[in-house]
Amino acid sequence: MSSTVYFNQIADQWDTMRQSFFPDAVREAALAAADAQPGDRAADIGAGSGFITEVLLNAGLTVAAVDPSEPMLAIMREKFGANDRLELHLGTAEPIPLPDASVNYTFANMCLHHVETPPNAIREMARILRPGGKLIITDLDPHTFRFLVEEQHDRFDRAEIARWFVNAGLTEVTVTSVGSNCCADSECGTQRAAVNIFIAVGVKALSPTNT
């Protein structure tokens, strides 16, 4: 089953399910890493039902939320109502349906392990950043739980993430621990995993100055 089909099916349950997977500390760490300012514009890639979007709106940002699941976007419409600081876009991380250099921050929480080609997705996340803007990704560290590799395709480590950030034109790259675990059960319910969550941050290089 594709991740989009899965999330279409569980969209109305996701807010409750999410609480058992990863804590609010993840989005608090992401917001702190961004050092975001009210009035700035952010993209939330793989936004789901608005876990990251909610904290960004509360911080006074304008948010372009992107998700491939229309039922998830419907949950967000219901949750946030008519909000002139929120745009909802049906789309993926490959490609992202936003213009070049259109946001100050790009956030992606638990999105990277669902994409087909993570380096391409990171390049897309960097593409939509304005010069000096930040990319903040939170996702899973390497682990030995085979069912997660088979069901969610997460095969990258911190060094790999850092290299992909640099290759996407990002500087000041750091990849550290959030200090929280993601907990998940296998689809058949016979295994349970607790995996550390990393936070990766990079800054888009400033455009060269003409002399």
Side-chain angles (χ1 to χ4, degrees), residues 25-176:
V26 174
R27 64 183 178 183
E28 293 163 3
L31 182 63
D35 192 23
Q37 302 301 311
D40 282 345
R41 178 174 165 82
D44 182 7
I45 309 303
S49 59
F51 175 68
I52 295 289
T53 291
E54 182 175 31
V55 74
L56 297 177
L57 291 173
N58 289 343
L61 279 74
T62 296
V63 183
V66 178
D67 198 88
S69 168
E70 178 57 46
M72 282 292 191
L73 296 179
I75 294 294
M76 293 183 70
R77 291 188 192 98
E78 180 179 349
K79 180 186 297 185
F80 300 117
N83 189 324
D84 61 6
R85 289 192 290 109
L86 176 63
E87 306 167 10
L88 300 178
H89 299 269
L90 183 66
T92 69
E94 304 174 88
I96 295 172
L98 294 174
D100 293 356
S102 57
V103 298
N104 303 96
Y105 315 96
T106 306
F107 293 83
N109 177 61
M110 301 301 162
C111 171
L112 203 63
H113 65 257
H114 289 296
V115 304
E116 289 292 327
T117 314
N120 290 346
I122 289 172
R123 280 194 292 270
E124 275 290 281
M125 294 175 195
R127 174 186 64 79
I128 65 174
L129 282 174
R130 295 166 181 160
K134 286 185 179 180
L135 171 59
I136 301 99
I137 292 179
T138 42
D139 216 300
L140 303 180
D141 266 337
H143 52 79
T144 58
F145 298 99
R146 175 172 290 277
F147 79 87
L148 281 179
V149 173
E150 293 173 347
E151 295 173 8
Q152 301 191 32
H153 315 298
D154 43 349
R155 298 175 184 271
F156 34 78
D157 60 25
R158 293 186 188 185
E160 204 168 30
I161 294 292
R163 184 169 64 253
W164 293 339
F165 269 50
V166 171
N167 290 344
L170 301 174
T171 64
E172 302 176 44
V173 176
T174 61
V175 188
T176 58

Side-chain angles (χ1 to χ4, degrees), residues 20-21 140-145 147-148 154 180-186 191-197:
S20 68
F21 293 154
L140 303 180
D141 266 337
H143 52 79
T144 58
F145 298 99
F147 79 87
L148 281 179
D154 43 349
S180 299
N181 287 340
C182 174
C183 299
D185 293 306
S186 64
Q191 298 183 63
R192 184 163 179 79
V195 183
N196 189 67
I197 299 170

